[in-house]
Amino acid sequence: MIVDVLCDWYGKLCFAVRLNNTISRHFVAESGVRQHSCLSPAIFNVFINVFIRELRQLKIGCHICEIFSGCMLYADDILLSPSVKGLQLMLDKCFEISCNVALQFTARKCHCMVICKMYKSNIASLHLGQDLIHWCNNIRYLDVYIVSDKSVKIDFNPVKRSFYSACNAIFSNCYEVNESVVLSLQESYSLSVLMYALPSLSLQRKQLDELSVCWNSVIRRIFSFKRTTSVKEVLYGFGRLNIKHLVVLRKVVL
């Protein structure tokens, strides 16, 4: 009965595209789940569970304390394996399952990356069905840029570029605006770009210093300070924390 209700419900889904004030003709959605529906995550879990179950039964891939952690799903999906051979077997299994459930992978959006002492080795491309998956030097996972190296390292250069773009957008629209107001705007819309995902990352002291330099430069611009002027007094005076303490505070809250 429940399956029949869901089939009838999803069989009537229609969509339309809005562009400015124009709405396209309606068309039928033949795949996927309803957006913003509280039932969609549960339905997706039922669908995706077959991948997790089959990959776990291979008994390959990464494990943490005997718990299978070879696949990370729900966003930018990731397969983790301690060996190239194991990773290829996992890809083969995913392709086999996708054929059974009428799911098609987009191989051109897939990449392989090495994180170990052999990260500079020349490794042949892996296969996903008939398509090749090439090795790359970095990947973007949930807007975090992970770099191929001996250990897990993060590239903050794209983050810093996005941060400065957000800052400049605010500065360009804040002529003759009170400094405290500009500071609040930068904290609300720009600082969040710089702080994104930091509490979940293991940062080196050098990386924290780089991020601190970014935020301190914005503080100096707001209050027209020279490049060599310290911003500690401003932060203390406004009851604000620096980047290092903000990261610690967010880790405690989490």
Side-chain angles (χ1 to χ4, degrees):
M1 175 64 73
I2 296 177
V3 174
D4 291 338
V5 171
L6 291 176
C7 289
D8 182 69
W9 186 30
Y10 272 88
K12 300 175 181 177
L13 287 182
C14 294
F15 290 88
V17 178
R18 174 186 290 177
L19 180 60
N20 296 326
N21 295 322
T22 305
I23 299 179
S24 70
R25 64 179 179 84
H26 286 75
F27 55 92
V28 178
E30 298 180 349
S31 62
V33 295
R34 290 175 60 93
Q35 297 295 313
H36 309 297
S37 170
C38 60
L39 185 60
S40 296
I43 297 176
F44 179 77
N45 286 342
V46 174
F47 176 80
I48 206 67
N49 185 62
V50 63
F51 286 91
I52 301 174
R53 185 178 66 250
E54 294 293 330
L55 289 172
R56 184 187 293 117
Q57 290 179 355
L58 287 178
K59 296 183 179 180
I60 57 178
C62 291
H63 289 74
I64 300 176
C65 298
E66 299 183 358
I67 298 176
F68 177 68
S69 55
C71 60
M72 301 171 62
L73 305 176
Y74 298 110
D76 297 328
D77 304 333
I78 288 182
L79 297 180
L80 301 174
S81 174
S83 67
V84 176
K85 181 179 179 180
L87 182 58
Q88 182 61 69
L89 290 174
M90 296 174 75
L91 288 171
D92 293 340
K93 176 58 68 173
C94 288
F95 181 75
E96 176 187 335
I97 299 170
S98 69
C99 293
N100 295 332
V101 299
L103 176 69
Q104 184 175 359
F105 288 106
T106 306
R108 59 183 175 81
K109 293 184 178 180
C110 301
H111 303 280
C112 296
M113 189 176 71
V114 178
I115 299 179
C116 69
K117 294 180 180 179
M118 305 295 292
Y119 76 99
K120 291 185 178 181
S121 301
N122 187 15
I123 306 174
S125 299
L126 301 187
H127 294 266
L128 183 60
Q130 300 298 321
D131 299 313
L132 290 177
I133 301 181
H134 302 289
W135 296 89
C136 63
N137 296 323
N138 59 78
I139 61 172
R140 177 184 176 184
Y141 180 70
L142 298 177
D143 278 339
V144 176
Y145 294 81
I146 306 174
V147 181
S148 177
D149 210 313
K150 296 180 181 178
S151 59
V152 177
K153 290 188 177 180
I154 308 300
D155 181 12
F156 284 105
N157 288 322
V159 176
K160 290 190 289 187
R161 287 194 293 268
S162 298
F163 168 71
Y164 283 126
S165 296
C167 291
N168 290 331
I170 293 175
F171 281 130
S172 63
N173 292 280
C174 286
Y175 293 110
E176 298 183 0
V177 177
N178 183 272
E179 289 88 347
S180 61
V181 174
V182 179
L183 176 60
S184 297
L185 289 172
Q186 295 289 8
E187 288 177 324
S188 299
Y189 297 100
S190 303
L191 184 58
S192 57
V193 176
L194 194 65
M195 294 290 296
Y196 176 76
L198 292 189
S200 62
L201 303 176
S202 179
L203 301 177
Q204 301 175 353
R205 182 184 181 89
K206 181 180 179 181
Q207 292 174 320
L208 276 174
D209 291 339
E210 290 178 0
L211 298 176
S212 296
V213 168
C214 294
W215 182 235
N216 291 345
S217 65
V218 173
I219 300 295
R220 293 189 181 94
R221 181 173 176 181
I222 294 174
F223 295 95
S224 302
F225 286 175
K226 294 181 179 179
R227 187 175 182 180
T228 56
T229 304
S230 174
V231 300
K232 289 183 179 180
E233 291 76 10
V234 174
L235 294 175
Y236 292 154
F238 280 89
R240 273 25 179 221
L241 298 175
N242 58 29
I243 292 294
K244 297 178 182 178
H245 287 92
L246 283 174
V247 172
V248 174
L249 178 60
R250 296 194 180 189
K251 285 185 176 182
V252 172
V253 172
L254 290 176

